[in-house]
PDB file of all heavy atoms in Angstrom:
ATOM      1  N   PHE A  59      13.910   1.639  29.413  1.00 92.00           N
ATOM      2  CA  PHE A  59      14.168   2.802  30.336  1.00 92.00           C
ATOM      3  C   PHE A  59      12.866   3.634  30.264  1.00 92.00           C
ATOM      4  O   PHE A  59      12.477   4.051  29.255  1.00 92.00           O
ATOM      5  CB  PHE A  59      15.368   3.575  29.863  1.00 92.00           C
ATOM      6  CG  PHE A  59      15.551   4.872  30.642  1.00 92.00           C
ATOM      7  CD1 PHE A  59      15.497   4.794  32.092  1.00 92.00           C
ATOM      8  CD2 PHE A  59      15.817   6.135  30.080  1.00 92.00           C
ATOM      9  CE1 PHE A  59      15.684   5.934  32.772  1.00 92.00           C
ATOM     10  CE2 PHE A  59      16.048   7.184  30.712  1.00 92.00           C
ATOM     11  CZ  PHE A  59      15.982   7.158  32.185  1.00 92.00           C
ATOM     12  N   ILE A  60      12.239   3.709  31.485  1.00 90.00           N
ATOM     13  CA  ILE A  60      10.958   4.392  31.595  1.00 90.00           C
ATOM     14  C   ILE A  60      11.221   5.746  32.276  1.00 90.00           C
ATOM     15  O   ILE A  60      11.539   5.779  33.449  1.00 90.00           O
ATOM     16  CB  ILE A  60       9.863   3.590  32.275  1.00 90.00           C
ATOM     17  CG1 ILE A  60       9.688   2.242  31.604  1.00 90.00           C
ATOM     18  CG2 ILE A  60       8.618   4.384  32.342  1.00 90.00           C
ATOM     19  CD1 ILE A  60       8.862   1.288  32.455  1.00 90.00           C
ATOM     20  N   GLN A  61      11.000   6.823  31.529  1.00 86.00           N
ATOM     21  CA  GLN A  61      11.350   8.117  32.092  1.00 86.00           C
ATOM     22  C   GLN A  61      10.186   9.157  31.954  1.00 86.00           C
ATOM     23  O   GLN A  61      10.346  10.304  32.122  1.00 86.00           O
ATOM     24  CB  GLN A  61      12.609   8.639  31.441  1.00 86.00           C
ATOM     25  CG  GLN A  61      12.426   9.195  29.997  1.00 86.00           C
ATOM     26  CD  GLN A  61      12.491   8.135  28.948  1.00 86.00           C
ATOM     27  OE1 GLN A  61      11.898   7.083  29.086  1.00 86.00           O
ATOM     28  NE2 GLN A  61      13.099   8.326  27.823  1.00 86.00           N
ATOM     29  N   ALA A  62       8.953   8.619  31.697  1.00 82.00           N
ATOM     30  CA  ALA A  62       7.882   9.567  31.484  1.00 82.00           C
ATOM     31  C   ALA A  62       6.706   9.001  32.263  1.00 82.00           C
ATOM     32  O   ALA A  62       6.493   7.770  32.361  1.00 82.00           O
ATOM     33  CB  ALA A  62       7.484   9.687  30.054  1.00 82.00           C
ATOM     34  N   ASN A  63       5.777   9.894  32.628  1.00 87.00           N
ATOM     35  CA  ASN A  63       4.498   9.458  33.341  1.00 87.00           C
ATOM     36  C   ASN A  63       3.609   8.871  32.250  1.00 87.00           C
ATOM     37  O   ASN A  63       3.653   9.292  31.126  1.00 87.00           O
ATOM     38  CB  ASN A  63       3.843  10.696  33.967  1.00 87.00           C
ATOM     39  CG  ASN A  63       4.606  11.318  35.057  1.00 87.00           C
ATOM     40  OD1 ASN A  63       5.460  10.655  35.666  1.00 87.00           O
ATOM     41  ND2 ASN A  63       4.409  12.630  35.305  1.00 87.00           N
ATOM     42  N   MET A  79      13.612   2.913  35.852  1.00 87.00           N
ATOM     43  CA  MET A  79      12.682   4.002  35.983  1.00 87.00           C
ATOM     44  C   MET A  79      13.360   5.289  36.361  1.00 87.00           C
ATOM     45  O   MET A  79      14.308   5.341  37.125  1.00 87.00           O
ATOM     46  CB  MET A  79      11.601   3.671  36.916  1.00 87.00           C
ATOM     47  CG  MET A  79      10.791   2.532  36.485  1.00 87.00           C
ATOM     48  SD  MET A  79       9.348   2.314  37.640  1.00 87.00           S
ATOM     49  CE  MET A  79       8.576   0.852  36.802  1.00 87.00           C
ATOM     50  N   GLY A  80      12.888   6.387  35.726  1.00 84.00           N
ATOM     51  CA  GLY A  80      13.485   7.700  35.979  1.00 84.00           C
ATOM     52  C   GLY A  80      12.969   8.189  37.314  1.00 84.00           C
ATOM     53  O   GLY A  80      11.968   7.661  37.904  1.00 84.00           O
ATOM     54  N   SER A  81      13.539   9.283  37.772  1.00 83.00           N
ATOM     55  CA  SER A  81      13.148   9.798  39.102  1.00 83.00           C
ATOM     56  C   SER A  81      11.827  10.619  38.932  1.00 83.00           C
ATOM     57  O   SER A  81      11.590  11.172  37.856  1.00 83.00           O
ATOM     58  CB  SER A  81      14.235  10.765  39.605  1.00 83.00           C
ATOM     59  OG  SER A  81      14.504  11.843  38.650  1.00 83.00           O
ATOM     60  N   ASN A  82      10.982  10.568  40.048  1.00 85.00           N
ATOM     61  CA  ASN A  82       9.812  11.242  40.099  1.00 85.00           C
ATOM     62  C   ASN A  82       8.718  10.963  39.002  1.00 85.00           C
ATOM     63  O   ASN A  82       8.004  11.718  38.553  1.00 85.00           O
ATOM     64  CB  ASN A  82       9.991  12.853  40.120  1.00 85.00           C
ATOM     65  CG  ASN A  82      10.896  13.344  41.072  1.00 85.00           C
ATOM     66  OD1 ASN A  82      10.795  12.875  42.296  1.00 85.00           O
ATOM     67  ND2 ASN A  82      11.751  14.294  40.873  1.00 85.00           N
ATOM     68  N   MET A  83       8.754   9.677  38.714  1.00 86.00           N
ATOM     69  CA  MET A  83       7.910   9.168  37.561  1.00 86.00           C
ATOM     70  C   MET A  83       6.684   8.617  38.145  1.00 86.00           C
ATOM     71  O   MET A  83       6.744   7.920  39.242  1.00 86.00           O
ATOM     72  CB  MET A  83       8.624   8.135  36.709  1.00 86.00           C
ATOM     73  CG  MET A  83       8.067   7.770  35.480  1.00 86.00           C
ATOM     74  SD  MET A  83       8.608   6.123  35.042  1.00 86.00           S
ATOM     75  CE  MET A  83       7.922   5.072  36.199  1.00 86.00           C
ATOM     76  N   VAL A  84       5.529   8.772  37.487  1.00 88.00           N
ATOM     77  CA  VAL A  84       4.293   8.282  38.005  1.00 88.00           C
ATOM     78  C   VAL A  84       3.541   7.510  36.917  1.00 88.00           C
ATOM     79  O   VAL A  84       3.359   7.943  35.740  1.00 88.00           O
ATOM     80  CB  VAL A  84       3.325   9.418  38.516  1.00 88.00           C
ATOM     81  CG1 VAL A  84       1.942   8.898  38.928  1.00 88.00           C
ATOM     82  CG2 VAL A  84       3.947  10.273  39.628  1.00 88.00           C
TER      83      VAL A  84
END
Side-chain angles (χ1 to χ4, degrees):
F59 178 45
I60 303 171
Q61 74 278 43
N63 297 335
M79 297 187 177
S81 59
N82 301 321
M83 189 203 71
V84 178

